Amino acid sequence: SSITRTHAPSATNETVWVDEPEKKRINTSLVISGIAGTNSPQSNGSLKPLRAPGMLTDPVKTTIEQVGEETTYGLPVSVGVGVKLNFTKRWSLGIGVNYTLLTSSFNGKYTEVKNGVASMPISERIKNTQHYIGIPVNAYYNILGSKNINLYAYAGGTVEKCVSDKYEVLSTSIVHKEKTKGLQLSANAGIGVEFLLGQHLGLYVDPSLRYYFDNNQPKSIRTAQPLTFGFEMGLRVRL
């Protein structure tokens, strides 16, 4: 470790130099990322209504019920920012915030309820759009490094909240929104590589496997296919 010298007055008014170890500094990087996940073209299996439909003689709430077994999922896409704290040459910790967009479409039946009265069901293609805000935390271990490239392994998890769950009845102007309770929890692990573009800038690629736990979230690619492959790419700016 490096040494700094400071002076202090003595009883004889002479300057006395004292050696003090320099405080260790934690290196910090700003991270800007984009993430793409895998999707499945369709999901076949038992399907349930998004809400249990109320009987026409006793209507309760507006309902959307899926008809058939085919669901088409869009590619999950996320963007985020964060910081990476390097504690040693080998170990570092990353934390940030990200936004994720999930989309799907299916054949469904929309039944609107107003003032306790249910309208005639509308059978149409329905598009679902979900917006999530999450906080990812990852631990990194540097396997090897050089002046131009770093190879590392990492593992961690993410806590997410669905802030919008919207259903659009296509070929109409009908938009229906659902409130989502609870949080989505997931765990991930992978191996990444960073290409150093300069003293303070790096381009990284982080492929990983991620598992989404069953947390009673809206139907999506995550509930149909909990184990997914993710591909994250971004920039790290060393501060």
Side-chain angles (χ1 to χ4, degrees), residues 19-209:
D19 290 341
E20 295 181 351
E22 184 177 337
K23 294 183 178 179
K24 189 174 181 180
R25 181 175 179 269
I26 298 177
N27 295 323
T28 305
S29 301
L30 175 66
V31 181
I32 305 172
S33 64
I35 309 167
T38 55
N39 68 325
S40 175
Q42 65 181 24
S43 173
N44 295 319
S46 59
L47 301 174
K48 297 180 180 179
L50 301 175
R51 278 188 180 274
M55 300 297 292
L56 294 181
T57 56
D58 185 23
V60 180
K61 294 181 179 180
T62 296
T63 64
I64 294 178
E65 182 178 0
Q66 185 165 344
V67 178
E69 297 185 344
E70 180 184 355
T71 301
T72 301
Y73 297 104
L75 187 70
V77 177
S78 300
V79 293
V81 295
V83 294
K84 186 180 179 184
L85 307 176
N86 300 307
F87 295 102
T88 68
K89 290 183 178 180
R90 294 287 187 182
W91 289 100
S92 57
L93 179 70
I95 186 170
V97 59
N98 61 24
Y99 159 80
T100 300
L101 172 66
L102 303 177
T103 60
S104 65
S105 63
F106 54 89
N107 294 323
K109 183 170 63 176
Y110 172 80
T111 305
E112 185 178 22
V113 175
K114 282 187 177 181
N115 301 321
V117 179
S119 64
M120 289 295 295
I122 299 176
S123 296
E124 184 56 82
R125 191 74 178 172
I126 295 175
K127 179 182 178 181
N128 176 226
T129 304
Q130 299 173 22
H131 303 269
Y132 278 85
I133 299 296
I135 299 177
V137 179
N138 288 295
Y140 297 84
Y141 178 78
N142 289 329
I143 300 173
L144 59 87
S146 66
K147 293 183 179 180
N148 300 318
I149 190 171
N150 288 326
L151 179 66
Y152 51 87
Y154 64 97
T158 303
V159 178
E160 295 176 277
K161 174 64 178 178
C162 182
V163 295
S164 176
D165 183 20
K166 182 175 65 175
Y167 299 85
E168 300 175 67
V169 182
L170 301 182
S171 75
T172 75
S173 59
I174 297 174
V175 176
H176 176 69
K177 295 182 179 181
E178 292 276 349
K179 291 184 179 180
T180 302
K181 297 180 180 180
L183 299 172
Q184 174 67 69
L185 305 179
S186 62
N188 68 283
I191 294 179
V193 60
E194 180 179 8
F195 303 94
L196 304 179
L197 305 179
Q199 183 178 0
H200 299 288
L201 182 64
L203 172 68
Y204 73 92
V205 178
D206 285 0
S208 68
L209 284 176

